[in-house]
Amino acid sequence: MTATRTAPDLERATLDKAASENFPVAPFFLPRAWRDDLMAVYGFARLVDDIGDGDLAPGGADARALGVPAAEAGDRLVLLDAFEADLRRVFDGTPRHPLLRRLQPTARRRSLTPEPFLGLIAANRQDQLVRRYETYDDLLAYCELSANPVGRLVLAVTGTATPERIRLSDSICTALQIVEHLQDVAEDLGRDRIYLPAQDMKRFHVQETDLAAKIASASVRALVAYEAQRARDLLNEGAPLVGSVHGRLKLLLAGFVAGGRAAVRAIAAAEYDVLPGPPKPGKVQLLREAGATLRGEG
């Protein structure tokens, strides 16, 4: 089967994951042009994460689309290199992968640059090489690559980027990344990755073996509560971004902040025991948080 004939399946397998994210990707109330462009950006971000996590659909279709030989289709670094080469074709050629072909008109229409996309690829390369973070600052540096480019792309697509909005967006995106790490402690450990800073683990007397338990100990819960408060503080720091814009974009950005706040509340409601599985907020909680965010409440 050729890569061309599988193109719709490759796109759909990735784009369908938007519904399971902690935040709205391209909600119905946005203008159609924005929705299309945000989904194109999401397709890139989701696929590069799937490559980095080894979560590609079985069968090797993505590798074939990128021109990676079957013998190397399981090598994530090789796939990331091929993906980066294909990304560069978005800006100066014809991409091979259907999701990057989808991205090309968006990049041209919105005058996007390669840098935020390259940051997301760099984060996933780092995931293959770095599996522990010693300090919180080390984790923030990782989030600068793995999360902040997404918010910057949203501002670029909507034509609203300013230095101050980018600063606020970075706080929100870093917070969302930390929240996701807290929800996925057990899943990440299964991949031999720990995103809880080692210094903080020592402070709360948490060993790596404690993270493999079925139920979190008091020490693990205290550590998760500490990191959740950091995420909450970052969300509050970035929340003025919502009030800096108007109309439908305000609703979208409020959704990002609300998604993070609702996830933090879900973690708290689980008494900070994230080991049995990721605590997820319900729709009512999400709507409640969205309303509070739009009203400027913390």
Side-chain angles (χ1 to χ4, degrees):
M1 187 179 297
T2 66
T4 300
R5 279 159 44 202
T6 62
D9 294 335
L10 285 180
E11 285 190 81
R12 185 50 45 204
T14 300
L15 298 179
D16 281 351
K17 296 180 181 180
S20 64
E21 301 290 353
N22 272 341
F23 48 84
V25 173
F28 70 92
F29 56 77
L30 293 179
R32 176 62 182 271
W34 281 10
R35 294 203 311 270
D36 290 347
D37 288 340
L38 289 172
M39 284 303 293
V41 168
Y42 172 79
F44 173 93
R46 183 68 267 165
L47 182 60
V48 73
D49 278 355
D50 286 348
I51 293 173
D53 290 341
D55 287 341
L56 293 176
D62 290 290
R64 289 195 299 275
L66 292 169
V68 174
E72 297 180 284
D75 189 322
R76 298 179 195 177
L77 287 171
V78 169
L79 285 170
L80 289 168
D81 286 347
F83 197 57
E84 179 176 332
D86 212 28
L87 168 68
R88 295 187 184 279
R89 295 185 192 102
V90 169
F91 298 93
D92 62 9
T94 303
R96 293 174 173 172
H97 197 286
L99 283 169
L100 292 179
R101 290 199 296 271
R102 181 188 186 101
L103 179 63
Q104 188 169 50
T106 291
R108 290 173 175 169
R109 185 163 48 244
R110 306 297 181 181
S111 300
L112 304 182
T113 63
E115 283 71 27
F117 299 103
L118 290 170
L120 294 172
I121 294 173
N124 279 276
R125 277 207 190 91
Q126 188 165 314
D127 277 337
Q128 313 313 310
L129 306 170
V130 180
R131 299 184 178 276
R132 307 290 189 275
Y133 290 86
E134 180 63 26
T135 69
Y136 182 61
D137 284 344
D138 292 338
L139 184 64
L140 292 181
Y142 169 74
C143 293
E144 178 69 22
L145 297 173
S146 68
N148 298 359
V150 176
R152 296 182 181 202
L153 285 166
V154 170
L155 294 176
V157 164
T158 57
T160 54
T162 66
E164 177 63 7
R165 284 179 179 146
I166 288 171
R167 184 186 72 81
L168 296 172
S169 171
D170 286 353
S171 292
I172 294 168
C173 290
T174 292
L176 292 174
Q177 180 74 88
I178 291 172
V179 170
E180 183 177 334
H181 289 330
L182 295 179
Q183 290 176 312
D184 294 341
V185 167
E187 180 181 333
D188 290 334
L189 186 65
R191 294 186 168 115
D192 192 27
R193 296 178 188 165
I194 297 176
Y195 294 101
L196 298 166
Q199 281 188 357
D200 297 343
M201 291 177 63
K202 292 173 186 174
R203 174 181 174 181
F204 287 91
H205 308 289
V206 172
Q207 305 291 324
E208 290 192 11
T209 52
D210 296 329
L211 303 180
K214 292 183 179 180
I215 298 175
S217 66
S219 295
V220 170
R221 292 175 195 237
L223 171 61
V224 172
Y226 178 73
E227 305 300 349
Q229 183 60 52
R230 280 177 153 169
R232 187 183 291 111
D233 291 343
L234 283 168
L235 287 168
N236 291 341
E237 182 182 327
L241 177 65
V242 176
S244 78
V245 299
H246 304 283
R248 298 177 187 182
L249 179 58
K250 186 170 186 172
L251 293 176
L252 177 67
L253 298 182
F256 292 155
V257 175
R261 285 174 167 168
V264 170
R265 288 191 186 276
I267 291 170
E271 298 181 335
Y272 302 101
D273 184 3
V274 296
L275 299 187
K280 296 281 189 179
K283 289 185 178 180
V284 172
Q285 185 64 52
L286 282 167
L287 290 172
R288 186 177 296 125
E289 293 291 346
T293 299
L294 286 167
R295 292 191 298 271
E297 301 171 5

